[in-house]
Amino acid sequence: MSSPEKPLENNSNEAANSNNENVSSPESSLNSETDNTTPVTDDVEKPEPVVAEAPESKADAVEHPTTTEDEKVPVSESSSEEEFSTDEEIHKDDDDEVAVEDLSTLSNEELVALAEKYADDDNILDLRPAFNQLREHLKSIFDNEQEDSLNTYLEDGGERDDYQPIPNPLVDRFYQALKKFNKRKDEFVKNREKELQQNLAKKKDILDELRINAEKEENIGRAFEKFRELQERWRAIGPVPYAEVRDLQLNYHFLNDLFYNHIEINRELQELDFRKNLEVKERLCEDAEKLVKEPSFNKAFSRLQELQQTWKETGPVPFEQKDSIWERFNAGRKALIEKRDQYRAAKEQLKEKNLELKTALCEKAEAIESSPEWKHKQWQTATEELMAIQKEWRKVGPAPDNVNDEIWKRFRAAADKLFSAKNNFYNTRKKEFADNLKLKVALCEQAENLMNSTDWKFTTAELIKLQKEWKKIGQVGERQSEKIWKRFRTACDTYFNNKSEHFADMDKANEENLIKKMAILEKLESFEHPANPQEVVNALRDFQQQWSDIGFVPLAKKEEVQGRYRKALDGHYDKLKLDSGEKQKLRYQQKLENIRSSDNPRKLNDEKRFLQNKINELQNDVQVLENNIGFFGHSKGAEEMKADFEKKIRKSKEEISMLKAKLKMVKDS
């Protein structure tokens, strides 16, 4: 073995070669979707040639065996074949993934079940776009349900600060699934990073072994066998950290070139090696050509990364087939990239269309103008109109990324404007409800104080008055309306049911009383006066007592029966030869009987009050007259005036005596 060159150290700051199967750390939460995965290029460049540093002395120089032009062996396929561009790399875009489910057709239960399914799936990274879409869709649904619940609570008179969100088991299940999804994703990323570092260490070890094999192994057979073993081990190792890829590849190819330059391998072995490499690359071409049929862009580009990595690690092919095999592989790459670009273009067109639709919905929402004069029904109509617009909004997909947040803020501002005015209306309405409730509670208390009364006429009038006042008072809100109305209605019904039962019993008694009074009338009308007037008076008083002891008669017969009674009684008194005082007493007793038989018990109290007031008035008159008599002299005119005063005093005292007798009769009755 001749003295080898040192491998080339890469001091370039350019990006690593596109053969890297770099897997960037996925976002720490589903709220962020930063894409750090490796892009795919459809433009490839010729790589810069690998140039070793000039040796500082002859001892460091590399000696190459002398060959003729026909015997030259290509140093490396990579030195003449187009490489994958370092400027545009494989790009896995979460937005390129086609959504598997049409979420708008699923129920909330089905959506949560789908989230739980995603959280258990082993293909955790490829499911990120679908899970993000599902999360946003469910969040919108849950937020709108809570907002609708809050609005209903406020409309019923509730206070915003007192509102308690309605527990939703589906929300809890979803956030458990989200937590599990993020945990498994983080574990995957952590394990992936660990695996990348392990792969890096393995490849560095292989580089050391390649260097030793090229520099120190003297036996050509063992050297070639070892070289093939190291190549197979290199290909079997998975991806490494992105920042290490370019250095690893440059050193790997350098050591491959070093091996071919320093080992005098016979042409047959080299050609056999090239044919095996060609077979591997043909299979890679076939696999690349199939990728265009893969419906998942993420899966397709992940696979393309693997194919490019294998292509890079596969050795040279026969010189005459080098360009054609590369062009075939590159055509498969470009077909997939073109399909991805067409999909993106179509998606951008759809986003522009969505922007037009969302702009129109914003204009419709902004056109809903509220008024301080609106009533509950008008606010309900406006709310329903806005909710219908919001429902249409949810059906529209995202707008272009640069305006998506802006258009949402515009729509949200229009909705907030309406709901803010609506909340002000219901806060004012709530105060009115509270004031009205206080008034109705007061009416309930008054009705409850009257509901057991038996003063039928007075209480009936009072309750009717309360009912009229009730109708003048406004609403108290749905939560209190039925409760306060039942309370008031119960008090009123209690009284009127008692009244109905009372008068139902009275009607029966009145019919019986009518029969009794008709019997007394027949006896009274046919009564013959005995010779002794006192016996007549006693008999008439007995008739009056019997009449008084009997209660009321039916109202329809009252006037007729009472008229016959007075007529018969007056006729008997007219036949008696009694002094005026006795007659007046008997007639007054008859009057008291009429008062007692009336349906107004207050009349008796009114009569008592009238008599007492009249007595007081006459007693005052007598006192004044008696005081004035003392001022008269002994003249003739004075004597006449004094006599007139004395007459008035005497008459007033007689009337007072008569009134006191009547008052006693009232009290005794």
Side-chain angles (χ1 to χ4, degrees):
M1 284 263 174
S2 56
S3 178
E5 272 186 344
K6 293 180 180 180
L8 176 65
E9 296 292 336
N10 176 30
N11 296 321
S12 172
N13 291 325
E14 294 178 8
N17 283 341
S18 61
N19 63 310
N20 174 37
E21 190 184 32
N22 177 48
V23 179
S24 61
S25 298
E27 63 278 16
S28 59
S29 72
L30 291 180
N31 291 323
S32 165
E33 297 183 38
T34 304
D35 187 1
N36 295 322
T37 51
T38 310
V40 161
T41 177
D42 53 351
D43 297 321
V44 294
E45 299 178 356
K46 294 282 187 179
E48 296 180 3
V50 178
V51 180
E53 296 178 358
E56 296 181 358
S57 64
K58 291 183 178 180
D60 295 327
V62 179
E63 296 181 3
H64 297 281
T66 302
T67 59
T68 64
E69 187 67 22
D70 294 335
E71 294 173 335
K72 286 183 180 179
V73 177
V75 174
S76 170
E77 183 182 0
S78 63
S79 64
S80 59
E81 182 183 89
E82 293 188 58
E83 290 191 351
F84 307 109
S85 170
T86 60
D87 297 326
E88 295 186 43
E89 300 164 339
I90 290 180
H91 178 60
K92 286 168 61 179
D93 189 345
D94 286 341
D95 286 342
D96 291 338
E97 192 63 48
V98 179
V100 177
E101 302 282 354
D102 181 4
L103 301 182
S104 63
T105 64
L106 302 181
S107 66
N108 290 1
E109 174 70 32
E110 291 171 331
L111 290 170
V112 172
L114 184 59
E116 292 170 336
K117 176 183 175 183
Y118 286 167
D120 291 329
D121 200 296
D122 291 335
N123 195 18
I124 198 78
L125 289 185
D126 287 342
L127 285 173
R128 282 181 300 165
F131 198 93
N132 287 337
Q133 179 188 11
L134 175 59
R135 176 181 58 79
E136 291 301 324
H137 187 74
L138 270 173
K139 183 176 182 297
S140 175
I141 291 174
F142 292 150
D143 288 348
N144 283 304
E145 286 178 351
Q146 287 297 336
E147 186 172 346
D148 293 344
S149 175
L150 172 60
N151 288 333
T152 301
Y153 179 80
L154 295 177
E155 290 168 9
D156 290 343
E159 189 69 37
R160 181 180 290 273
D161 294 338
D162 298 335
Y163 175 72
Q164 294 294 329
I166 300 174
N168 187 347
L170 291 179
V171 175
D172 295 336
R173 282 178 55 192
F174 172 71
Y175 281 105
Q176 286 298 321
L178 174 60
K179 182 178 179 181
K180 183 177 182 180
F181 186 92
N182 285 335
K183 181 180 179 182
R184 294 189 66 233
K185 176 193 64 182
D186 292 341
E187 290 174 351
F188 178 87
V189 171
K190 183 178 179 181
N191 294 334
R192 185 67 164 179
E193 290 296 333
K194 182 178 179 181
E195 180 184 347
L196 293 177
Q197 292 297 330
Q198 291 173 345
N199 292 342
L200 175 62
K202 292 177 182 178
K203 286 199 172 185
K204 285 183 176 180
D205 290 343
I206 291 177
L207 290 177
D208 291 339
E209 292 186 59
L210 282 171
R211 183 179 296 108
I212 293 171
N213 187 55
E215 293 176 352
K216 297 183 178 180
E217 179 58 61
E218 297 295 336
N219 185 294
I220 295 176
R222 285 198 301 269
F224 189 77
E225 183 179 349
K226 181 65 174 179
F227 179 69
R228 281 301 179 202
E229 176 198 336
L230 293 175
Q231 282 186 321
E232 292 298 327
R233 283 167 55 193
W234 180 274
R235 294 180 189 128
I237 297 173
V240 299
Y242 181 77
E244 302 289 339
V245 173
R246 184 174 178 84
D247 285 348
L248 283 174
Q249 286 300 126
L250 289 174
N251 284 311
Y252 178 73
H253 285 296
F254 173 82
L255 291 173
N256 272 270
D257 289 344
L258 186 65
F259 178 81
Y260 284 118
N261 288 335
H262 287 212
I263 296 181
E264 296 179 359
I265 186 170
N266 61 57
R267 186 176 298 275
E268 287 78 11
L269 288 175
Q270 187 184 54
E271 290 177 355
L272 178 62
D273 183 38
F274 285 2
R275 284 196 299 273
K276 289 182 179 180
N277 293 341
L278 178 61
E279 292 175 0
V280 172
K281 290 193 174 183
E282 285 176 343
R283 288 195 297 271
L284 293 177
C285 289
E286 293 172 359
D287 290 344
E289 290 163 351
K290 294 176 182 177
L291 292 179
V292 74
K293 299 179 181 179
E294 169 59 52
S296 169
F297 283 114
N298 276 350
K299 292 181 180 179
F301 281 102
S302 293
R303 178 57 179 157
L304 181 56
Q305 284 180 328
E306 296 172 1
L307 296 179
Q308 290 186 162
Q309 177 74 8
T310 305
W311 183 280
K312 280 288 187 180
E313 295 167 353
T314 303
V317 300
F319 184 78
E320 63 276 8
Q321 293 175 297
K322 174 178 70 67
D323 291 338
S324 61
I325 195 65
W326 162 248
E327 289 172 0
R328 179 182 175 186
F329 183 76
N330 200 34
R333 292 174 63 251
K334 287 187 175 181
L336 179 60
I337 294 171
E338 182 179 355
K339 178 183 177 183
R340 189 268 316 274
D341 291 344
Q342 290 175 352
Y343 170 77
R344 285 181 175 174
K347 190 165 67 172
E348 287 303 316
Q349 290 180 357
L350 179 60
K351 287 184 177 181
E352 290 293 339
K353 180 64 176 177
N354 292 342
L355 177 60
E356 294 178 8
L357 295 174
K358 288 190 171 184
T359 300
L361 292 176
C362 286
E363 292 171 354
K364 288 177 67 176
E366 291 163 349
I368 303 176
E369 292 290 342
S370 62
S371 169
E373 305 300 322
W374 274 9
K375 302 299 181 185
H376 172 70
K377 186 175 182 181
Q378 291 166 302
W379 282 111
Q380 286 295 96
T381 301
T383 301
E384 291 170 1
E385 183 179 353
L386 182 60
M387 297 308 288
I389 296 173
Q390 189 173 7
K391 187 175 182 180
E392 292 181 38
W393 180 280
R394 293 176 192 155
K395 296 178 181 178
V396 180
D401 296 342
N402 60 328
V403 295
N404 197 45
D405 288 342
E406 179 183 344
I407 196 68
W408 164 246
K409 289 177 181 178
R410 178 180 175 185
F411 181 75
R412 186 72 225 183
D416 288 346
K417 179 182 177 182
L418 178 68
F419 286 127
S420 177
K422 179 182 176 183
N423 289 340
N424 291 336
F425 165 77
Y426 282 106
N427 288 336
T428 302
R429 190 176 185 225
K430 180 183 177 183
K431 185 178 182 303
E432 293 175 357
F433 284 172
D435 293 341
N436 293 340
L437 181 61
K438 290 180 182 178
L439 295 175
K440 290 193 173 183
V441 168
L443 292 182
C444 287
E445 292 172 350
Q446 294 180 57
E448 288 165 350
N449 290 334
L450 293 171
M451 66 183 182
N452 294 319
S453 173
T454 57
D455 188 349
W456 309 115
K457 186 173 183 180
F458 170 77
T459 306
T460 300
E462 286 297 309
L463 284 177
I464 291 175
K465 179 182 176 182
L466 294 180
Q467 289 174 343
K468 291 179 179 178
E469 291 180 19
W470 182 280
K471 292 179 181 178
K472 295 177 183 178
I473 300 173
Q475 299 179 0
V476 297
E478 292 184 8
R479 290 196 301 168
Q480 296 290 343
S481 180
E482 187 68 18
K483 180 180 177 182
I484 195 68
W485 167 244
K486 284 183 177 180
R487 179 179 175 184
F488 183 72
R489 181 65 182 269
T490 298
C492 292
D493 288 348
T494 299
Y495 167 76
F496 285 111
N497 289 338
N498 292 342
K499 181 181 176 183
S500 297
E501 292 174 2
H502 171 75
F503 282 101
D505 294 338
M506 282 187 61
D507 288 344
K508 183 178 179 181
N510 290 347
E511 291 292 340
E512 295 175 355
N513 293 340
L514 177 62
I515 296 173
K516 293 177 182 179
K517 285 193 174 183
M518 292 300 292
I520 293 175
L521 272 176
E522 292 176 0
K523 291 180 181 180
L524 181 60
E525 289 170 345
S526 62
F527 175 66
E528 296 292 339
H529 289 207
N532 187 345
Q534 188 59 45
E535 291 181 7
V536 175
V537 171
N538 292 338
L540 292 177
R541 285 178 178 172
D542 185 54
F543 278 122
Q544 286 179 298
Q545 186 63 46
Q546 292 180 49
W547 187 270
S548 298
D549 292 340
I550 301 172
F552 299 111
V553 298
L555 190 61
K557 293 289 186 177
K558 176 183 173 182
E559 292 298 328
E560 176 187 346
V561 172
Q562 198 66 24
R564 283 180 62 185
Y565 173 70
R566 286 196 298 269
K567 181 178 179 182
L569 201 58
D570 288 345
H572 288 299
Y573 282 128
D574 289 341
K575 292 179 182 180
L576 289 173
K577 294 180 180 180
L578 300 174
D579 58 50
S580 60
E582 186 66 24
K583 283 186 177 182
Q584 190 175 11
K585 182 179 178 181
L586 290 172
R587 291 187 182 278
Y588 188 72
Q589 186 175 5
Q590 182 181 357
K591 178 182 178 181
L592 289 179
E593 296 300 331
N594 293 336
I595 291 175
R596 282 196 295 268
S597 63
S598 71
D599 58 356
N600 188 355
R602 296 175 61 184
K603 285 186 178 181
L604 199 59
N605 291 330
D606 292 341
E607 181 68 16
K608 180 180 177 182
R609 193 179 305 109
F610 169 76
L611 293 174
Q612 188 64 59
N613 291 339
K614 188 66 176 177
I615 291 171
N616 293 339
E617 181 185 346
L618 290 173
Q619 287 177 340
N620 289 335
D621 291 343
V622 169
Q623 186 175 359
V624 171
L625 290 172
E626 288 177 343
N627 290 337
N628 290 336
I629 288 177
F631 295 104
F632 292 113
H634 298 287
S635 63
K636 182 178 179 181
E639 289 296 331
E640 290 178 357
M641 188 172 293
K642 182 179 179 181
D644 185 52
F645 271 38
E646 289 175 346
K647 182 179 179 182
K648 288 182 178 179
I649 290 172
R650 190 168 50 255
K651 185 176 180 182
S652 295
K653 287 183 176 180
E654 289 175 356
E655 188 173 356
I656 289 172
S657 297
M658 181 192 67
L659 291 173
K660 286 183 176 181
K662 288 182 177 181
L663 183 60
K664 185 176 183 304
M665 293 173 65
V666 171
K667 291 179 179 180
D668 292 342
S669 62

